[in-house]
Amino acid sequence: LEAWQAGATGFPLVDAAMAQLWATGWMPNYMRHVVAGFLVEFLNLDWRHGLRWFDYTLVDADTAINAYMWQNGGHSGMDQWNFVMHPVFAAKSCDPEGDYVRRWLPQLAALPVEYIHCPWEAPFALRAAAGVVLGGNYPKRILDDLEAARRASHAAVMAVRRGPARGQVLPSGHEWLALDNGVR
């Protein structure tokens, strides 16, 4: 959690967005989705941590909207997100030249575009020439295997759905709750 809050996950788009949040009290909506997805889907942390952090740091925090969006991102809201934003693939899509990352993470600015979103893939000599030291001036990744982390998070959600929530999951996968009048 602390690495996520500090923008020290080792995933440049996540870290850049969290750096912008800390520096300005704001980040674009797309980045809010990226960092929320990373917290919930890859780190498998309770969405309420994100809710509290955004409430503490966002200058445009709206209690109702913030809570609603974090509930949705955390699979417990009325309009749950059914997408996962991969921190590298999303970065290559929304920041193809790396301008956003370079602005908020100047220690990565000299990396070529093909490595700006995945500095761990850059050859050592190239990182050295760019002045990037993983574990030094830029953190090592807190997750080495994103796919395994995602599978673990999914398994945790499915364990709840197969266990305590078994009676509240429809064949379509949607969750339901019986109202006092018996309607679901």
Side-chain angles (χ1 to χ4, degrees):
L1 177 63
E2 291 167 1
W4 177 83
Q5 290 171 327
T9 67
F11 290 90
L13 188 65
V14 173
D15 295 345
M18 297 306 277
Q20 180 184 20
L21 174 61
W22 190 249
T24 69
W26 185 85
M27 73 171 79
N29 187 57
Y30 188 86
M31 299 307 170
R32 295 177 193 204
H33 285 280
V34 170
V35 302
F38 191 79
L39 180 77
V40 172
E41 303 291 348
F42 294 100
L43 296 180
N44 197 24
L45 293 174
D46 190 313
W47 61 268
R48 291 173 293 185
H49 293 299
L51 168 70
R52 285 189 289 273
W53 188 249
F54 272 29
D55 192 51
Y56 175 70
T57 55
L58 283 171
V59 296
D60 67 343
D62 177 290
T63 302
I65 293 172
N66 194 28
Y68 182 74
M69 295 308 290
W70 275 102
Q71 286 172 358
N72 292 337
H75 304 288
S76 61
M78 297 299 293
D79 186 28
Q80 298 174 26
W81 301 346
N82 63 352
F83 57 86
V84 176
M85 300 182 91
H86 188 283
V88 176
F89 302 151
K92 290 179 178 182
S93 172
C94 74
D95 187 28
E97 299 301 316
D99 297 333
Y100 181 80
V101 166
R102 285 186 178 88
R103 176 175 180 191
W104 294 106
L105 302 176
Q107 67 272 38
L108 300 181
L111 283 174
V113 68
E114 59 268 27
Y115 298 112
I116 191 69
H117 298 298
C118 48
W120 57 90
E121 292 181 358
F124 177 82
L126 192 144
R127 284 197 315 265
V132 176
V133 180
L134 298 180
N137 66 347
Y138 188 69
K140 291 182 179 180
R141 292 177 292 165
I142 60 173
L143 296 171
D144 287 327
D145 189 342
L146 286 172
E147 188 56 36
R150 175 69 186 106
R151 281 193 308 270
S153 177
H154 182 262
V157 169
M158 295 312 294
V160 170
R161 286 177 155 223
R162 288 186 194 106
R166 181 177 43 244
Q168 279 74 42
V169 180
L170 298 171
S172 66
H174 293 91
E175 296 165 354
W176 67 274
L177 179 65
L179 301 176
D180 291 340
N181 64 5
V183 175
R184 61 177 180 163

